[in-house]
Amino acid sequence: MTKFLSHGFWDAVARIILRNRIFILCCVVAATVALAWQWQYMRFTYTEANLLPRDHEVNLEYDAFLDQFGEEGNLIVFGIQDSTLFEPAVLNRWNALADSIDSFDEVALSLSLKDLKLLKKEENPSRFELESFIRDSVSTRAEALQYRKKLFDSLPFYEGLIYNKKTGTLRTAIYLKKDIVNTAIRKDFIMDDLIPLINRFEEETGLDVRTSGMPYIRTLNSQSIIDEIGLFVGGALLVTSLIFFFFFRSYRATFISMITVIIGVMWAFGLLGLLNYEITVLTALIPPLIIVIGIPNCIFLINKYQQEYKKHGNKVKALQRVITKVGNATLMTNITTASGFATFILTKSSLLQEFGTVASICIMALFLLCLLIIPIIYSFMTPPKERHLKHLGRTWMDNFVNWLVKMVQNRRITIYMVSIVALMISMIGIYNIRVSGSLIEDMPKHTGFYKDIKFFEQEFDGIMPLEILIDTKRKNGVMRLPTLKRMDELAQTINEIPELSKPISIVNLVKYGKQAFYNGNKNYYQLPTSNERNFMMPYVRSFESSAGLLDSYVDSTGQYARMTTFMKDIGTDKMELVEQTLRNKINAEFPEDQYEVTITGKALVFQKGTDYLIMNLVISLSLAVLLIAAFMAWMFRSFKMILVSLIPNLLPLLITAGLMGFLGVPIKPSTILVFSIAFGISVDDTIHFLAKYRQELRASRWKIKRSVYASVREAGVSMFYTSIVLFFGFSVFMISSFGGTVALGGLVSATLLFAMLANLLLLPSLLLSLERNIANKEDFKEPSLQIIEEEDTDETNP
């Protein structure tokens, strides 16, 4: 490998690139067209992110539930909190809206005022009949108010399901067909049919309809992701191009760089289609990431080309040296950056594995594009003019570099004290970090659908389903009175938990049957006694079959029962308390030899996935550190140098973690990515600095101070340029409407800024303080890889 990446190898690469320019450009164009063809296979996700491995116990339990009862997240609800709803014209229009929605093929069942069924006791013969709550259109206000009074005062079965007695809020529930919930049909129905229908109702009546439910939330959330991809790509291109132009003051250098990264973005989209990966909230970040990470490559290559041309005025020689002298450095820095992303592949979470796979491949492909396109395009252009080279001698940049040298030379104690204080304060912040496993915390807060989520949390205690699967281990075991009583005890515990809604199960139906038996007296809304049971059961089965509402709450054999509650948006800590409370009650009420009870549902799966992800990403970050340390050991062959170089890269991570604690930014799937991404990128500066430092040591015959100062002056410019581009580039993500993406952009930007200062101040200070302890010839051996080629005066033609 050492020989493979030797000076002779890069000389050969330079000759191949510059002698086969047309052929290589044709290959790049062909590859771009081929990958652009794969765009047709790109698809957007229609499900929530599952952070757990497919074979994880929690996923297996959830799959077992789906096998019994099918997709659970198929409920959409509409709510109105307005007294004018019970005006005859408005009420009739509300019922007509429910009829319109129910007529769509995508709807399996709707439950609105007009769909409600009343149980009526008939004497001759003795039987129970189902009759409609509202039979015809409402003609008078008195009639409408009578319906309202009857609903709110006499039908506890529908409380929490259709109405909130305290606030007067009314809602309609529709259940989508389960086979379309996770498909594009769901999106088309909601976006093209349902939302226009609701908007038309609001325009005609002047009422504010609140809409929610997991299918609705997922659809609008996915649409927000789609809308933001273009925003991110455009924002990243605009910001990086402006900064690039500010540094280089060259339209053509800016144009060449933009063309290169745009091709990289096209390749990224094509790779997503080629691998048949879904575009999720994470993979949607890859195209703008490619732009932000690719521009530093362009800076190093173009800056080197202009430096070389300024030295000797030979364009061909300058282009060759760009490849031979910067090739190793850019290759190694791209490998370390790609490694930071590649560690996500080790998490066993398909969401992060796909993100890590595509990102790491795209980063290496982008390195190849930069190495090929930039020298080739410049070879066809006229040599740089004087105005293109002015940025190489800017006064303000010289002042900044001089300030760095003076700080390292005279203020090392200050640098160490600031670093130690920052570390100590960060530890306090880290202690205050909380973990979040919320499904909706990262969703756009300003959107109507997020405000509607909060509305339904306030009125009906949440919309995120939490399921309890009860296996009675015997046929028809659910309908046994002891089982129903146990379920009722569990339901009472759920009612006492403020974060959960009133549960729905077969128990509700059985209680309604007893109320009907006693002529609708709401005081008898309770489970029947043993003597009443035989009367109730035939009616319960008949009503269940006729109403359709509870078809999916007992399986066809009567062995399995399902209890559904809905959960508010709560953090991981509260979720764990809720789960423990439920498990304690289940253990007390359901003997293990008679029942097997499982708590599951999307909300629980996501929370467990967050815990799993955090544990695995800590491991992946550790592996990233070890992997990059191994790279540096191979490149520099100095164990002491590795330890010194890791300090300025780990300290920014700790400072950022401390900031998260102080600012109240929780650890969650989006923010946990910060550390692996930032570490993989920030270590690039360390590699560039140490490579230059080694070169200066040899040139100055191991004079350490001179070598450190020279390294700060020469490497500091490129490190500053690239860090500023990365800082503002990642800041683009802060325009996102997703809280997690905003936090990701802000935290990575801050970390990279801290890392730049650490690599330009703390690292050279450590090198000077430790001096010959780490820079003697015995420990600082001949490198396995010459990152920066030694200066020479030979002219070699390609």
Side-chain angles (χ1 to χ4, degrees), residues 216 228 261 358 405 476 517 713:
Y216 181 81
E228 286 196 351
V261 295
V358 176
V405 172
N476 295 321
F517 180 72
R713 291 184 185 280

Side-chain angles (χ1 to χ4, degrees), residues 59 165 187 586 655 672 748:
N59 264 339
K165 188 173 183 178
K187 172 183 175 293
I586 290 169
I655 293 175
I672 196 70
V748 172

Side-chain angles (χ1 to χ4, degrees), residues 23-212:
F23 174 75
I24 291 174
L25 286 179
C26 290
C27 290
V28 170
V29 171
T32 304
V33 171
L35 286 170
W37 180 257
Q38 298 298 319
W39 292 4
Q40 61 184 310
Y41 302 113
M42 287 192 303
R43 53 198 175 94
F44 294 90
T45 182
Y46 296 106
T47 60
E48 290 89 1
N50 191 334
L51 306 175
L52 293 169
R54 290 308 314 162
D55 58 352
H56 193 278
E57 180 185 5
V58 173
N59 264 339
L60 295 178
E61 291 176 346
Y62 183 62
D63 290 341
F65 168 82
L66 294 180
D67 289 341
Q68 288 296 332
F69 293 105
E71 173 61 42
E72 39 114 21
N74 64 331
L75 172 66
I76 298 179
V77 290
F78 313 100
I80 288 183
Q81 191 181 55
D82 196 315
S83 59
T84 60
L85 177 63
F86 284 91
E87 295 293 335
V90 178
L91 186 58
N92 288 332
R93 187 68 187 84
W94 178 251
N95 291 334
L97 173 64
D99 281 334
S100 299
I101 294 173
D102 200 27
S103 66
F104 286 102
D105 292 336
E106 293 85 355
V107 177
L109 171 71
S110 69
L111 187 65
S112 64
L113 276 179
K114 65 168 285 297
D115 299 310
L116 299 190
K117 302 296 182 182
L118 302 179
L119 297 185
K120 187 175 180 181
K121 182 180 178 182
E122 298 289 346
E123 296 294 344
N124 294 313
S126 296
R127 69 190 186 280
F128 292 96
E129 292 285 350
L130 289 172
E131 64 178 34
S132 297
F133 179 64
I134 298 178
R135 298 181 180 179
D136 301 306
S137 61
V138 180
S139 56
T140 67
R141 190 169 190 273
E143 185 182 3
L145 293 177
Q146 185 179 3
Y147 281 127
R148 184 184 189 280
K149 178 176 175 58
K150 187 174 184 179
L151 175 67
F152 281 63
D153 294 344
S154 305
L155 296 173
F157 175 75
Y158 293 111
E159 184 176 2
L161 184 62
I162 293 298
Y163 69 89
N164 182 329
K165 188 173 183 178
K166 293 180 181 178
T167 62
T169 302
L170 204 68
R171 75 175 180 180
T172 291
I174 68 168
Y175 294 84
L176 300 183
K177 290 181 178 178
K178 295 179 179 180
D179 57 349
I180 70 144
V181 171
N182 294 323
T183 69
I185 298 174
R186 180 204 77 206
K187 172 183 175 293
D188 295 338
F189 166 67
I190 290 175
M191 299 298 294
D192 300 336
D193 299 321
L194 190 61
I195 291 178
L197 199 62
I198 295 170
N199 290 340
R200 191 157 54 247
F201 172 84
E202 290 180 321
E203 292 173 2
E204 293 173 356
T205 63
L207 297 180
D208 181 20
V209 179
R210 305 299 188 104
T211 309
S212 196

Side-chain angles (χ1 to χ4, degrees), residues 339 341-349 352-353 356-357 612 616-617 619-621 623-624 627:
S339 298
F341 287 91
T343 54
F344 296 137
I345 300 172
L346 306 175
T347 61
K348 297 184 180 179
S349 165
L352 285 178
Q353 285 177 340
T357 299
Y612 176 87
N616 278 267
L617 282 178
I619 296 173
S620 69
L621 177 59
L623 289 174
L627 180 61

